[in-house]
Amino acid sequence: GYRFNGNYDQQQNIAFSPTYPVLCRFVEHTFGTDTSLAMHIVSSACFFVTLVFFYLLVVKLLSPAFALATTVVYATNPFTLFQLYGYGDVVFITSAVVFFYALEVRRSPLIAAICVSIAGFSRPYGVLLLAPLLVGLAVTHWRSWTDRRSLRTTIQSWIVYTPIATLGLLLYTLWSQRRFGDPIAFLHIHDAWNVTCQALIWSDRLRMTNLIASIQPVFTQDLLNPPGIAALFVVSISILGILTASYRWLPPSMNCYWILLTGFLLASSTGCHPNLVALGRHALGIIPLFLLVTIMIARLCGYPLDRAHRDRESSSAATTRFLLAAGIIALVNVVVLCNYIHRFFRLQWVA
């Protein structure tokens, strides 16, 4: 269904990755549904899988109560609208959550590498999951600088799983080259929307002056312009990571991921006109962000994050306060979500 006439200044559908449409076409032809129903089935199934594996991941990292609170806060986030209404981001987010579950819970680097490959085929920046994969493999095999055996094992694991992880994006670029004569046509075409992924490719849009211009509003009064909002968003996440001491509670792979992806969001906003819709739905992919938010809630409520301390006081009032606070945030989220859906359908093109 791709159409491209060679004009990068005109909005065309090659800007959208093929994974989500392929899944929708599969459901449509297999079950005989129409396109809109197939899209709802795929989106709902991916969203459900995301919530299940997100819960299982946080249960392993922290606790069942913490997993419940984090999953509820995530599920009611107003921008989850884009996971249910025909946006391909849902496949990338599902791949990212299953990736961390496979890497940190199941300890299966093969499944994790396959998830990175699917993520790269779902969104070009999905290949950024390669860095957390390499970090996770290093943490698993590394012992010390003087241990040559662990060093050799780490390098071997990198060599084995890197090709698998990059296969999706590689096949996408090869197909794009054969079909359109441009291996990264899906990146170049974003210029037509005045939104770009230029953090991955060099052009006049990506200059140090643009980066400075994006950060500058944080230190001025011009915070309501889109570049200022994007910069403030990244700075806020960074402060949240410091306040919650994320390095202590999250595995190195997840810390690597949220730092890398927030930096990418800022870099890809330079020299263009980012908007809150794109920023909000892309932020859904920063899975550790919702853990950081819930960690902050837990600290404010006095809920113990240390496992040994928490096991002794699992029925304490702190747990009740923690879950109640998460529930209130979820309720506020639902109110905002309902209002957002109403405005979205009136102002946007999705129906």
Side-chain angles (χ1 to χ4, degrees):
Y2 280 133
R3 298 290 185 269
F4 182 55
N5 60 12
N7 183 6
Y8 287 107
D9 294 325
Q10 180 182 347
Q11 294 185 5
Q12 300 178 69
N13 64 2
I14 65 168
F16 306 109
S17 302
T19 311
Y20 180 76
V22 167
L23 291 175
C24 294
R25 289 296 187 189
F26 174 79
V27 172
E28 184 178 354
H29 291 299
T30 302
F31 300 101
T33 66
D34 59 16
T35 301
S36 60
L37 180 58
M39 293 169 68
H40 278 294
I41 292 174
V42 172
S43 297
S44 300
C46 288
F47 185 54
F48 177 76
V49 171
T50 298
L51 295 182
V52 170
F53 279 92
F54 195 21
Y55 177 83
L56 296 176
L57 171 65
V58 184
V59 164
K60 181 66 175 181
L61 294 179
L62 290 161
S63 73
F66 201 95
L68 176 62
T70 306
T71 305
V72 168
V73 169
Y74 177 82
T76 57
N77 183 285
F79 286 100
T80 54
L81 167 71
F82 295 101
Q83 290 187 261
L84 296 172
Y85 286 93
Y87 278 76
D89 303 75
V90 65
V91 180
F92 163 72
I93 295 171
T94 302
S95 301
V97 172
V98 176
F99 161 79
F100 283 113
Y101 176 81
L103 186 66
E104 300 297 340
V105 178
R106 300 292 296 179
R107 303 294 181 182
S108 174
L110 177 59
I111 297 178
I114 293 174
C115 288
V116 177
S117 184
I118 296 174
F121 201 59
S122 305
R123 280 288 180 270
Y125 55 81
V127 74
L128 294 177
L129 280 170
L130 176 62
L133 175 63
L134 299 181
V135 170
L137 291 173
V139 171
T140 300
H141 299 292
W142 193 268
R143 296 295 179 268
S144 68
W145 287 100
T146 58
D147 189 347
R148 294 184 177 181
R149 183 177 180 181
S150 65
L151 177 61
R152 184 170 60 252
T153 303
T154 299
I155 295 176
Q156 287 175 347
S157 65
W158 286 355
I159 294 175
V160 169
Y161 294 111
T162 297
I164 300 174
T166 56
L167 182 62
L169 186 58
L170 177 61
L171 292 176
Y172 193 14
T173 56
L174 291 176
W175 178 84
S176 182
Q177 171 65 37
R178 180 179 179 182
R179 179 76 181 271
F180 309 120
D182 183 356
I184 52 175
F186 49 87
L187 293 181
H188 288 139
I189 198 64
H190 279 84
D191 289 344
W193 277 267
N194 200 24
V195 178
T196 182
C197 294
Q198 300 295 345
L200 297 179
I201 54 178
W202 183 263
S203 75
D204 292 338
R205 285 177 178 265
L206 184 61
R207 293 176 177 173
M208 186 56 68
T209 54
N210 290 332
L211 183 60
I212 294 174
S214 181
I215 299 176
Q216 184 179 3
V218 177
F219 306 101
T220 67
Q221 301 299 317
D222 195 23
L223 285 175
L224 296 182
N225 286 336
I229 294 174
L232 185 61
F233 171 77
V234 173
V235 171
S236 300
I237 295 179
S238 303
I239 295 175
L240 184 62
I242 295 173
L243 292 178
T244 56
S246 66
Y247 65 89
R248 181 179 178 185
W249 307 112
L250 301 184
S253 62
M254 298 189 76
N255 281 308
C256 169
Y257 176 68
W258 75 258
I259 293 173
L260 189 63
L261 196 54
T262 50
F264 170 80
L265 286 179
L266 179 61
S268 63
S269 298
T270 60
C272 68
H273 188 75
N275 57 77
L276 288 179
V277 171
L279 181 63
R281 64 188 180 90
H282 291 159
L284 284 175
I286 311 177
I287 302 301
L289 166 63
F290 297 90
L291 277 166
L292 298 182
V293 170
T294 318
I295 289 173
M296 179 60 72
I297 297 173
R299 287 194 162 189
L300 293 175
C301 295
Y303 178 75
L305 293 172
D306 180 76
R307 183 176 293 274
H309 187 201
R310 185 178 60 246
D311 289 342
R312 292 196 302 268
E313 301 184 7
S314 58
S315 60
S316 65
T319 303
T320 303
R321 291 196 302 269
F322 171 55
L323 293 177
L324 182 61
I328 293 174
I329 291 178
L331 182 61
V332 173
N333 278 344
V334 169
V335 173
V336 176
L337 176 60
C338 292
N339 181 62
Y340 187 41
I341 289 175
H342 175 68
R343 295 185 59 195
F344 184 81
F345 284 134
R346 292 183 59 186
L347 301 177
Q348 298 290 342
W349 61 92
V350 176

